[in-house]
Amino acid sequence: MGKTTGFMEYERIEEGYKPVGERLKHYKEFVIGLDADQAKIQGARCMDCGTPFCNNGCPVNNIIPDFNDLVYQQDWKSAIAVLHSTNNFPEFTGRICPAPCEAACVLNVNNDAVGIKSIEHAIIDRAWAEGWVQPRPAKHKTGKKVAVVGAGPAGMAAAQQLARAGHDVTVFEKNDRVGGLLRYGIPDFKMEKSHIDRRVEQMKAEGVVFRTGVVVGAAKDPLGKGSKVTNLAKETVTPEELQKEFDAVLLTGGAEQSRDLPVPGRDLDGVHFAMEFLPQQNRVNAGDKVKGQLRADGKHVIVIGGGDTGSDCVGTSNRHGAASVTQFELMPMPPEQENKPLVWPYWPYKLRTSSSHEEGCEREFAISTKEFMGEKGKVTGLKTVQVEFKDGKFVEVPGTEKVFKADLVLLAMGFVSPVATVLEAFGVEKDARGNARATTDFDGGYATNVPKVFAAGDIRRGQSLVVWAIREGRQAARSVDEFLMGYSDLPR
């Protein structure tokens, strides 16, 4: 633990933000991380709680009390060793994870949780600055070859683990750059892409081969019917070719089938999926030229969907210079403070205000869109109604119809399943939600019904968090290693 009485002496210290007026002028990160002294104080607040619920609340089971104590002792090099023992990419999670570990913190029962995420952020940034993050190539090669299909966080974590076990790993990615939704979904102001790039260089030094611009199976619109995304892949590889060349194949694609809103007027120009809008700005930030980029400049923007993707659309629209931004949420407004005795140590249901909301956004709760209105083929507004939940379903509240002005509507209502092309090409069985059917059992975990084909990440569990993708990638890597070698020394 940290200081014995630290949790009674010190208050939680939040990471800071640069001023709104300053950060809206660019797409760089704007979070002000903790300095060494602040991180030490936060580490001192970690208490000797006997059972560290934070460890169980974290999907990768970070050994949180240990690295908190090491930061308090100012042993930063040991702290990054502990952190890396469970998490391949703490610079990703230290920036964009919602921190279920903090919800599970014992101090959170009747006080403010330890700032675990901010400590993790401080540890990994210090480690990169000090040059402690180095390639760890395998000492011995196994002669086994593994194909990883999908270069998001699940695929990256699995590939790194398998390469360190001595296997020859090739990662296939349909996009022109590695990272999946980390690269082309999460805005740069939340996580700059240099963090992905330096991990890719580390993994290349460890023997991982990346083949970008390659579709495995038949090429298909990545967002499903109705989207206007162009597939940038330049090469197609068949499942048969992979199964012939490699000893094992691990599918780690995303849950990219966006949830649609099939109401009248859906085909009007100006109504788009969030994943048409967000990747374009990321490409522009990377120096690409995007013809006909979707822009929010001077427009009245409606974002339908109250989650993180919707929040990302809000932040990006404000940086474009939108005239107004309004975000719709079907559910009623949550309470500002959760009922801790009822929900702890689980993820609480409460009102969450993101940094993007603070930059300028009207939020509408318990609202449903009935129709997209337009003139000359272009969207001009939305017809809505308030709803309430009764008898297991949403019902309209009479007399609450309203029209909102809109020049751009972004659908950010989540993702329903993986795009089925890859699973169908391999003949992988799907569950009721359209995900790859594969269990997480210790014996044969992550294996599909197809011999030597495994699945992990969002393609298996559905839309989820980056930290869950890293967990599944690591666990699947162990299962693949066991399949190839009969045993595995990789952590699960």
Side-chain angles (χ1 to χ4, degrees):
M1 61 179 295
K3 186 178 181 182
T4 307
T5 57
F7 69 96
M8 295 187 291
E9 297 177 28
Y10 305 121
E11 299 296 324
R12 177 182 170 96
I13 303 174
E14 298 282 357
E15 292 182 317
Y17 294 150
K18 294 181 180 177
V20 170
E22 177 183 336
R23 69 194 197 223
L24 284 179
K25 297 177 182 178
H26 59 75
Y27 292 88
K28 300 290 186 181
E29 293 177 12
F30 53 81
V31 172
I32 303 170
L34 305 185
D35 61 29
D37 290 336
Q38 291 172 325
K40 178 178 179 177
I41 290 174
Q42 277 305 287
R45 296 183 72 235
C46 186
M47 55 197 290
D48 187 10
C49 57
T51 301
F53 284 84
C54 57
N55 174 264
N56 191 58
C58 172
V60 293
N61 301 125
N62 277 336
I63 311 170
I64 294 165
D66 289 34
F67 69 63
N68 283 345
D69 177 61
L70 289 165
V71 168
Y72 172 66
Q73 302 295 340
Q74 296 291 277
D75 187 354
W76 291 85
K77 195 167 186 179
S78 295
I80 187 58
V82 170
L83 184 51
H84 267 153
S85 71
T86 56
N87 187 350
N88 295 69
F89 313 119
E91 63 270 45
F92 302 166
T93 53
R95 285 170 166 79
I96 60 176
C97 184
C101 55
E102 294 186 11
C105 175
V106 172
L107 191 55
N108 192 46
V109 171
N110 60 356
N111 203 325
D112 293 326
V114 174
I116 300 168
K117 178 180 174 181
S118 61
I119 293 174
E120 179 178 350
H121 187 179
I123 293 171
I124 185 58
D125 282 9
R126 174 75 173 266
W128 278 109
E130 297 285 353
W132 297 332
V133 184
Q134 294 294 326
R136 292 165 45 194
K139 295 180 180 179
H140 305 285
K141 302 293 284 186
T142 65
K144 301 291 186 178
K145 299 174 65 178
V146 182
V148 176
V149 181
M156 290 179 67
Q160 185 165 63
Q161 294 295 96
L162 288 164
R164 289 174 175 178
H167 306 305
D168 293 319
V169 182
T170 302
V171 179
F172 295 86
E173 168 58 44
K174 69 178 183 295
N175 285 309
D176 55 346
R177 297 181 180 94
V178 170
L181 286 182
L182 287 171
R183 174 78 65 178
Y184 289 129
I186 294 171
D188 292 61
F189 56 79
K190 288 177 68 175
M191 194 190 84
E192 294 176 20
K193 308 318 170 195
S194 58
H195 303 299
I196 305 173
D197 296 335
R198 59 186 178 186
R199 281 296 181 181
V200 169
E201 291 306 309
Q202 180 197 33
M203 293 171 66
K204 286 179 178 178
E206 294 172 348
V208 177
V209 175
F210 292 94
R211 291 181 58 184
T212 56
V214 180
V215 163
V216 176
K220 185 178 179 181
D221 177 352
L223 297 183
K225 183 179 179 181
S227 79
K228 303 174 180 63
V229 174
T230 302
N231 198 310
L232 300 178
K234 300 178 181 178
E235 180 183 353
T236 300
V237 175
T238 67
E240 292 75 19
E241 290 173 318
L242 291 187
Q243 289 167 306
K244 181 179 179 180
E245 181 180 353
F246 294 91
D247 299 295
V249 178
L250 175 58
L251 307 179
T252 57
E256 298 177 288
Q257 189 78 50
S258 297
R259 181 174 283 107
D260 208 345
L261 186 58
V263 299
R266 170 63 180 88
D267 294 331
L268 288 169
D269 186 23
V271 181
H272 300 274
F273 288 117
M275 291 309 298
E276 296 174 65
F277 177 70
L278 295 172
Q280 291 187 356
Q281 186 58 56
N282 286 5
R283 291 187 180 280
V284 170
N285 293 345
D288 296 349
K289 293 183 178 180
V290 177
K291 185 177 180 180
Q293 180 192 358
L294 294 175
R295 299 278 306 182
D297 312 66
K299 296 178 179 178
H300 297 281
V301 180
I302 302 289
V303 178
I304 301 179
D308 287 340
T309 302
S311 175
D312 294 343
C313 290
V314 170
T316 301
S317 296
N318 280 325
R319 281 161 179 75
H320 283 182
S324 69
V325 183
T326 305
Q327 186 175 23
F328 286 1
E329 170 56 60
L330 183 65
M331 300 295 291
M333 183 176 177
E336 293 190 11
Q337 180 62 52
E338 74 270 30
N339 186 338
K340 289 186 178 183
L342 178 66
V343 301
W344 182 89
Y346 301 108
W347 186 245
Y349 178 65
K350 68 176 183 178
L351 181 66
R352 302 178 192 279
T353 302
S354 72
S355 58
S356 292
H357 293 142
E358 293 171 351
E359 292 165 0
C361 174
E362 294 294 326
R363 303 172 75 181
E364 297 285 341
F365 293 91
I367 190 169
S368 177
T369 300
K370 298 189 68 173
E371 180 184 350
F372 297 113
M373 305 164 64
E375 296 178 3
K376 299 180 180 179
K378 287 182 170 290
V379 68
T380 58
L382 283 77
K383 187 178 294 184
T384 68
V385 65
Q386 295 295 129
V387 294
E388 57 184 359
F389 198 69
K390 284 185 177 180
D391 301 323
K393 62 181 180 180
F394 287 100
V395 295
E396 296 182 2
V397 178
T400 61
E401 291 80 5
K402 187 177 180 181
V403 173
F404 286 82
K405 184 176 182 179
D407 307 304
L408 175 64
V409 179
L410 300 172
L411 306 181
M413 301 175 294
F415 306 88
V416 293
S417 67
V419 175
T421 312
V422 174
L423 299 181
E424 292 171 353
F426 276 95
V428 171
E429 291 181 357
K430 292 179 280 186
D431 63 18
R433 297 175 58 200
N435 303 319
R437 188 184 298 279
T439 70
T440 58
D441 296 338
F442 280 93
D443 184 17
Y446 297 92
T448 70
N449 62 298
V450 181
K452 74 179 188 181
V453 176
F454 297 75
D458 286 6
I459 200 170
R460 190 204 70 83
R461 68 177 284 118
Q463 175 192 1
S464 193
L465 304 175
V466 168
V467 68
W468 272 106
I470 295 173
R471 171 196 172 110
E472 295 226 343
R474 287 172 61 89
Q475 291 190 341
R478 179 183 171 92
S479 292
V480 171
D481 190 34
E482 286 180 327
F483 167 75
L484 295 174
M485 307 303 295
Y487 69 95
S488 179
D489 291 327
L490 291 175
R492 194 178 192 279

Short mmCIF file of all heavy atoms in Angstrom, two decimals, residues 30-31 52 54 151 160 167 179 188 204 212 232 238 249 265 276 294-295 330 343 377 392 396 429 472 478:
data_model
loop_
_atom_site.label_atom_id
_atom_site.label_comp_id
_atom_site.label_asym_id
_atom_site.label_seq_id
_atom_site.Cartn_x
_atom_site.Cartn_y
_atom_site.Cartn_z
N PHE A 30 -5.09 17.54 -24.76
CA PHE A 30 -5.12 18.74 -23.92
C PHE A 30 -5.18 18.43 -22.43
O PHE A 30 -5.33 19.32 -21.60
CB PHE A 30 -6.32 19.63 -24.30
CG PHE A 30 -7.64 18.92 -24.30
CD1 PHE A 30 -8.33 18.69 -23.11
CD2 PHE A 30 -8.18 18.44 -25.47
CE1 PHE A 30 -9.54 18.04 -23.10
CE2 PHE A 30 -9.40 17.77 -25.48
CZ PHE A 30 -10.09 17.58 -24.29
N VAL A 31 -5.08 17.13 -22.08
CA VAL A 31 -5.09 16.75 -20.67
C VAL A 31 -3.75 17.09 -20.03
O VAL A 31 -2.69 16.84 -20.61
CB VAL A 31 -5.38 15.24 -20.51
CG1 VAL A 31 -5.19 14.80 -19.06
CG2 VAL A 31 -6.79 14.92 -20.98
N PRO A 52 -8.30 -6.14 -2.81
CA PRO A 52 -8.25 -5.02 -3.76
C PRO A 52 -9.28 -5.18 -4.88
O PRO A 52 -9.00 -5.78 -5.92
CB PRO A 52 -6.83 -5.09 -4.29
CG PRO A 52 -6.45 -6.54 -4.18
CD PRO A 52 -7.18 -7.08 -2.99
N CYS A 54 -10.26 -3.12 -6.91
CA CYS A 54 -9.81 -2.44 -8.12
C CYS A 54 -9.19 -3.43 -9.10
O CYS A 54 -9.37 -3.34 -10.32
CB CYS A 54 -8.80 -1.34 -7.78
SG CYS A 54 -7.35 -1.95 -6.87
N ALA A 151 -5.87 -5.21 -36.85
CA ALA A 151 -4.77 -4.56 -36.12
C ALA A 151 -5.26 -3.53 -35.12
O ALA A 151 -4.61 -2.51 -34.90
CB ALA A 151 -3.79 -3.92 -37.11
N GLN A 160 1.75 -9.09 -30.09
CA GLN A 160 2.94 -8.85 -29.28
C GLN A 160 3.22 -10.04 -28.37
O GLN A 160 4.36 -10.49 -28.24
CB GLN A 160 2.78 -7.58 -28.46
CG GLN A 160 4.04 -7.23 -27.68
CD GLN A 160 4.03 -5.80 -27.16
OE1 GLN A 160 3.19 -5.44 -26.35
NE2 GLN A 160 4.97 -4.99 -27.62
N HIS A 167 6.85 -17.07 -31.76
CA HIS A 167 6.19 -17.40 -33.02
C HIS A 167 6.43 -16.30 -34.07
O HIS A 167 6.66 -15.14 -33.72
CB HIS A 167 4.69 -17.59 -32.79
CG HIS A 167 4.36 -18.58 -31.73
ND1 HIS A 167 4.81 -19.88 -31.75
CD2 HIS A 167 3.60 -18.48 -30.60
CE1 HIS A 167 4.37 -20.53 -30.70
NE2 HIS A 167 3.64 -19.70 -29.96
N GLY A 179 -4.05 0.12 -36.07
CA GLY A 179 -4.69 0.72 -34.89
C GLY A 179 -6.17 0.49 -34.77
O GLY A 179 -6.74 0.66 -33.70
N ASP A 188 -8.01 12.46 -32.28
CA ASP A 188 -6.63 12.73 -31.86
C ASP A 188 -6.59 13.54 -30.57
O ASP A 188 -5.63 13.41 -29.79
CB ASP A 188 -5.89 13.50 -32.96
CG ASP A 188 -5.66 12.65 -34.20
OD1 ASP A 188 -6.65 12.19 -34.80
OD2 ASP A 188 -4.50 12.43 -34.56
N LYS A 204 7.54 -4.27 -34.36
CA LYS A 204 8.34 -4.65 -35.52
C LYS A 204 9.73 -5.12 -35.09
O LYS A 204 10.26 -6.12 -35.62
CB LYS A 204 8.47 -3.48 -36.50
CG LYS A 204 7.20 -3.17 -37.28
CD LYS A 204 7.42 -1.99 -38.21
CE LYS A 204 6.19 -1.68 -39.04
NZ LYS A 204 6.37 -0.49 -39.92
N THR A 212 -0.65 -3.95 -44.17
CA THR A 212 -1.82 -3.07 -44.20
C THR A 212 -2.40 -3.02 -45.60
O THR A 212 -1.77 -3.42 -46.58
CB THR A 212 -1.44 -1.66 -43.74
OG1 THR A 212 -0.37 -1.16 -44.56
CG2 THR A 212 -0.99 -1.67 -42.28
N LEU A 232 -10.49 1.19 -48.49
CA LEU A 232 -9.20 1.60 -49.01
C LEU A 232 -8.24 0.43 -49.23
O LEU A 232 -7.09 0.64 -49.59
CB LEU A 232 -8.56 2.60 -48.05
CG LEU A 232 -9.36 3.89 -47.83
CD1 LEU A 232 -8.64 4.79 -46.83
CD2 LEU A 232 -9.57 4.63 -49.13
N THR A 238 -7.43 -14.72 -49.27
CA THR A 238 -8.52 -15.64 -48.96
C THR A 238 -8.22 -16.39 -47.66
O THR A 238 -7.06 -16.59 -47.29
CB THR A 238 -8.73 -16.66 -50.08
OG1 THR A 238 -7.58 -17.52 -50.15
CG2 THR A 238 -8.92 -15.97 -51.42
N VAL A 249 -4.73 -19.12 -37.04
CA VAL A 249 -5.27 -17.83 -37.47
C VAL A 249 -6.11 -17.28 -36.32
O VAL A 249 -6.97 -17.99 -35.78
CB VAL A 249 -6.13 -17.97 -38.73
CG1 VAL A 249 -6.73 -16.61 -39.12
CG2 VAL A 249 -5.33 -18.56 -39.88
N GLY A 265 -37.04 9.65 -44.05
CA GLY A 265 -36.04 10.67 -44.32
C GLY A 265 -34.61 10.22 -44.09
O GLY A 265 -33.68 11.01 -44.24
N GLU A 276 -18.56 7.44 -40.39
CA GLU A 276 -18.21 8.10 -41.64
C GLU A 276 -17.51 9.42 -41.35
O GLU A 276 -16.61 9.84 -42.06
CB GLU A 276 -19.46 8.37 -42.48
CG GLU A 276 -20.20 7.13 -42.94
CD GLU A 276 -21.51 7.48 -43.62
OE1 GLU A 276 -21.47 8.11 -44.69
OE2 GLU A 276 -22.57 7.14 -43.07
N LEU A 294 -16.69 15.30 -44.72
CA LEU A 294 -17.86 15.74 -43.95
C LEU A 294 -17.41 16.76 -42.92
O LEU A 294 -16.56 16.46 -42.07
CB LEU A 294 -18.51 14.54 -43.25
CG LEU A 294 -19.15 13.48 -44.14
CD1 LEU A 294 -19.64 12.31 -43.28
CD2 LEU A 294 -20.30 14.08 -44.92
N ARG A 295 -17.97 17.94 -42.99
CA ARG A 295 -17.58 19.03 -42.09
C ARG A 295 -18.81 19.58 -41.39
O ARG A 295 -19.92 19.56 -41.91
CB ARG A 295 -16.89 20.15 -42.87
CG ARG A 295 -15.62 19.77 -43.60
CD ARG A 295 -14.42 19.77 -42.69
NE ARG A 295 -14.27 21.04 -41.97
CZ ARG A 295 -13.25 21.28 -41.14
NH1 ARG A 295 -12.32 20.37 -40.92
NH2 ARG A 295 -13.17 22.45 -40.51
N LEU A 330 -31.73 8.42 -25.83
CA LEU A 330 -33.04 7.80 -25.67
C LEU A 330 -33.41 7.58 -24.20
O LEU A 330 -34.56 7.73 -23.80
CB LEU A 330 -33.07 6.46 -26.41
CG LEU A 330 -34.38 5.68 -26.42
CD1 LEU A 330 -35.46 6.46 -27.17
CD2 LEU A 330 -34.19 4.30 -27.04
N VAL A 343 -24.72 0.09 -5.89
CA VAL A 343 -23.99 -0.33 -7.10
C VAL A 343 -22.53 -0.72 -6.86
O VAL A 343 -21.96 -1.48 -7.64
CB VAL A 343 -24.05 0.77 -8.17
CG1 VAL A 343 -25.49 1.07 -8.54
CG2 VAL A 343 -23.34 2.05 -7.71
N GLY A 377 -33.76 17.25 -51.04
CA GLY A 377 -32.88 16.12 -50.79
C GLY A 377 -31.90 16.29 -49.65
O GLY A 377 -31.13 15.37 -49.37
N GLY A 392 -41.68 -2.41 -19.89
CA GLY A 392 -40.63 -3.03 -20.68
C GLY A 392 -40.40 -2.43 -22.05
O GLY A 392 -39.67 -3.00 -22.87
N GLU A 396 -44.31 6.86 -26.28
CA GLU A 396 -44.29 8.30 -26.53
C GLU A 396 -45.14 9.04 -25.50
O GLU A 396 -46.18 8.54 -25.05
CB GLU A 396 -44.80 8.59 -27.93
CG GLU A 396 -43.92 8.01 -29.03
CD GLU A 396 -44.43 8.36 -30.42
OE1 GLU A 396 -45.45 9.09 -30.51
OE2 GLU A 396 -43.82 7.92 -31.40
N GLU A 429 -18.98 -20.11 -36.97
CA GLU A 429 -20.33 -20.01 -36.42
C GLU A 429 -20.49 -18.71 -35.66
O GLU A 429 -19.56 -18.24 -35.00
CB GLU A 429 -20.61 -21.19 -35.49
CG GLU A 429 -20.73 -22.52 -36.19
CD GLU A 429 -21.03 -23.65 -35.22
OE1 GLU A 429 -21.07 -23.38 -33.99
OE2 GLU A 429 -21.19 -24.80 -35.67
N GLU A 472 -8.71 -9.63 -24.05
CA GLU A 472 -9.03 -10.77 -24.90
C GLU A 472 -7.86 -11.12 -25.81
O GLU A 472 -7.60 -12.30 -26.07
CB GLU A 472 -10.29 -10.47 -25.71
CG GLU A 472 -11.53 -10.33 -24.85
CD GLU A 472 -12.73 -11.09 -25.40
OE1 GLU A 472 -12.71 -11.46 -26.59
OE2 GLU A 472 -13.67 -11.34 -24.62
N ARG A 478 -2.48 -16.69 -25.38
CA ARG A 478 -2.11 -17.86 -24.58
C ARG A 478 -2.77 -19.13 -25.14
O ARG A 478 -2.13 -20.19 -25.23
CB ARG A 478 -2.50 -17.66 -23.12
CG ARG A 478 -2.14 -18.86 -22.25
CD ARG A 478 -2.58 -18.70 -20.81
NE ARG A 478 -2.41 -19.95 -20.08
CZ ARG A 478 -1.31 -20.28 -19.40
NH1 ARG A 478 -0.29 -19.45 -19.36
NH2 ARG A 478 -1.24 -21.44 -18.77
#
